[in-house]
Amino acid sequence: MSVNTDRHQTAAARYFEAWNATEPEALGKAVAAAWAPEGSYTDPLADVAGHAQIAAVIAAAHARFPGFVFRPLGAVDGHHGTARFGWELVNEADGSAPVAGFDVVTLDEEGRIRRVLGFLDRVPAGA
């Protein structure tokens, strides 16, 4: 049985704030707030560590999908220092969501992300 806690919800909220930051300064601050300094991000398209590399992956996603935002898909589920949640990448103009996935995050003692393991459930052809 999983216990959904404020700690996990807060970590997920910071995660989405980072993924939705588009200005370089705001992105850097959001990544630093969400991830531990040695934090990492791994999905089928990226395997990076540290704030600068994580910010670069996020910036690349915005370059590939301008005008899109990351939104949670369902509730955050967590226990101990681990949380999982679904997400989708939504076009703000028409509401379409061509990309969706599921992430599992491990948190440090301060509630910042130590590690993200991301899975892509829906990806447009050629992406």
Side-chain angles (χ1 to χ4, degrees):
M1 178 177 213
S2 296
V3 177
N4 195 356
T5 68
D6 288 342
R7 179 176 187 226
H8 301 110
Q9 291 176 3
T10 298
R14 287 186 195 140
Y15 179 82
F16 284 107
E17 185 176 332
W19 274 97
N20 286 319
T22 56
E23 298 301 320
E25 186 176 340
L27 175 56
K29 287 180 180 180
V31 167
W35 270 269
E38 73 284 356
S40 65
Y41 177 86
T42 303
D43 72 13
L45 306 174
D47 186 13
V48 299
H51 292 172
Q53 289 183 3
I54 293 166
V57 167
I58 293 171
H62 285 288
R64 171 74 175 94
F65 294 97
F68 284 73
V69 294
F70 287 86
R71 292 201 180 134
L73 190 58
V76 176
D77 186 26
H79 62 85
H80 298 88
T82 304
R84 66 180 180 162
F85 50 85
W87 55 266
E88 60 187 356
L89 185 60
V90 179
N91 183 321
E92 291 186 292
D94 66 13
S96 64
V99 182
F102 190 87
D103 292 346
V104 176
V105 301
T106 303
L107 305 177
D108 69 8
E109 297 75 29
E110 297 176 9
R112 291 187 298 169
I113 297 169
R114 181 176 290 153
R115 183 175 189 191
V116 175
L117 296 175
F119 298 86
L120 301 174
D121 298 326
R122 183 173 62 236
V123 180

